[in-house]
Amino acid sequence: VFQKLTNKNGFFGLSLYPYHLKNHGDCKIEDFCEMIKQLVNMMGEDSIGIGSDLCFNWPDEVVMWMRNGKWTKKIDYGEGSASNAGFPKMPDFYRNNLDFPNLAIGLKECGMNNEEIKKVMGRNWLRYFENSFSHKN
């Protein structure tokens, strides 16, 4: 699947949403960065980016609205539960966007080179958006 995505000029964004991570909010930076390194080995360094757009410090009512919208009368707690309905605990290495540099440090420590890190940290997203959404005359 990853190779087919790459062959079609697709892009894979890695979420930092705790329920998408190994051990959820207890995920270690080494585990997250190793996952990225493995994907680079499978897909190449040009098709991967970090998706860090999260809803920090939003009230639980907003999180519930995003999970349920107006299309259902049944409450959907997503990956949570009635007793744990709010936004999950973030991992220590990425509590908010100010921790973004921690990811570059972690990628370096797991053996990625500077060019790969720059691409995964943002250059790939920029190129993908330019190629996918720019208006060329």
Side-chain angles (χ1 to χ4, degrees):
V1 171
F2 293 125
Q3 192 58 52
K4 286 186 181 214
L5 181 66
T6 302
N7 292 344
K8 296 283 188 177
N9 296 321
F11 195 83
F12 195 85
L14 292 150
S15 170
L16 284 156
Y17 182 60
Y19 286 127
H20 296 168
L21 302 174
K22 179 179 182 179
N23 299 318
H24 307 283
D26 294 324
C27 181
K28 303 291 182 227
I29 193 166
E30 297 84 5
D31 293 327
F32 184 73
C33 292
E34 187 59 37
M35 177 181 60
I36 293 172
K37 185 178 174 182
Q38 289 175 11
L39 279 171
V40 166
N41 290 336
M42 284 191 279
M43 297 178 69
E45 64 191 58
D46 295 323
S47 302
I48 300 165
I50 297 171
S52 59
D53 56 330
L54 295 175
C55 317
F56 293 112
N57 298 320
W58 287 26
D60 288 347
E61 294 81 30
V62 173
V63 175
M64 290 303 294
W65 176 83
M66 290 181 350
R67 289 178 177 159
N68 293 285
K70 300 289 182 190
W71 48 85
T72 183
K73 295 190 186 298
K74 181 181 173 197
I75 295 176
D76 181 354
Y77 294 103
E79 299 88 344
S81 64
S83 63
N84 187 21
F87 200 86
K89 170 188 167 287
M90 292 298 295
D92 291 339
F93 68 87
Y94 196 85
R95 295 165 302 218
N96 61 46
N97 61 343
L98 296 175
D99 288 335
F100 199 69
N102 292 344
L103 301 175
I105 294 166
L107 293 171
K108 184 74 170 175
E109 288 176 355
C110 83
M112 291 179 64
N113 68 49
N114 288 336
E115 190 59 28
E116 291 170 325
I117 293 168
K118 288 176 188 177
K119 287 179 176 184
V120 169
M121 294 289 292
R123 284 189 183 167
N124 287 342
W125 276 116
L126 179 60
R127 189 190 71 258
Y128 179 77
F129 284 134
E130 286 172 345
N131 293 338
S132 300
F133 304 110
S134 67
H135 298 282
K136 298 177 184 172
N137 295 329

